[in-house]
Amino acid sequence: MAPKKKTPAAAAAATEEGEKPQKAGGKKASKAAKAVKQSVVRKVKKVRKNVHFFRPKTKITPRNPKYPMKSTVGRVRMDKYRIIQCPVTTESAMKKIEEINTLVFLVDLQATKLNIKEAVKELYDVKCAKVNTLIRPDGRKKAYVHLT
């Protein structure tokens, strides 16, 4: 599209005011001169100093559930009655009870020494000094509960 010509009346008004009539090429030249005077921003390529690439960190939004994952509260399956299954009543176990004040129980495989200590305290109302455990060759766990 060719540039529009000024009407003779507009050109006469411009010359009366003392302005120079600008052509389309003059606007383009002034725009180019303005660009030359401003500083040029060049994109600098980032120098990699490490051979490993780490994925950029992105926004992690916290979970905002609309309904609970579980409808009911889960019950504790390791209660005192499951931890201590039965006392051992062999001759060697009876000897330990009489001589060194130690009770011997068969306990659950997942029971820890702390769990056994608390279960004995709740069931028998006695205070435990320490608990030793071992797993028998038949795969059951035995606990030696030393009383104070």
Side-chain angles (χ1 to χ4, degrees), residues 75-94:
R75 65 180 180 86
V76 180
R77 288 181 178 85
M78 282 291 274
D79 62 340
K80 57 188 173 185
Y81 300 108
R82 175 157 173 215
I83 292 170
I84 296 178
Q85 292 169 351
C86 63
V88 178
T89 55
T90 58
E91 280 185 39
S92 60
M94 291 299 153

Side-chain angles (χ1 to χ4, degrees), residues 46-58:
K46 184 181 174 187
V47 179
R48 294 200 162 272
K49 297 177 181 126
N50 194 351
V51 294
H52 303 287
F53 175 76
F54 294 102
R55 191 171 49 84
K57 304 269 192 294
T58 56

Side-chain angles (χ1 to χ4, degrees), residues 10-129:
T15 52
E16 287 175 7
E17 293 174 5
E19 293 179 6
K20 292 182 183 176
Q22 273 195 339
K23 296 178 184 173
K27 283 184 181 176
K28 216 173 195 181
S30 64
K31 196 173 185 182
K34 195 175 184 184
V36 168
K37 288 175 188 168
Q38 291 177 343
S39 63
V40 179
V41 179
R42 288 191 180 95
K43 193 170 183 181
V44 179
K45 190 173 180 181
K46 184 181 174 187
V47 179
R48 294 200 162 272
K49 297 177 181 126
N50 194 351
V51 294
H52 303 287
F53 175 76
F54 294 102
R55 191 171 49 84
K57 304 269 192 294
T58 56
K59 185 180 178 186
I60 298 168
T61 54
R63 287 187 175 188
N64 187 15
K66 304 296 180 243
Y67 58 89
M69 294 290 278
K70 291 182 177 180
S71 60
T72 59
V73 179
R75 65 180 180 86
V76 180
R77 288 181 178 85
M78 282 291 274
D79 62 340
K80 57 188 173 185
Y81 300 108
R82 175 157 173 215
I83 292 170
I84 296 178
Q85 292 169 351
C86 63
V88 178
T89 55
T90 58
E91 280 185 39
S92 60
M94 291 299 153
K95 193 174 180 184
K96 283 194 184 323
I97 292 169
E98 293 166 5
E99 292 177 6
I100 54 175
N101 205 20
T102 301
L103 299 174
V104 185
F105 296 102
L106 286 180
V107 295
D108 193 84
L109 263 174
Q110 275 101 34
T112 61
K113 291 182 180 184
L114 258 173
N115 292 351
I116 296 166
K117 197 173 187 177
E118 288 168 6
V120 168
K121 187 177 180 184
E122 286 177 27
L123 288 172
Y124 300 103
D125 296 321
V126 290
K127 198 170 182 183
C128 307

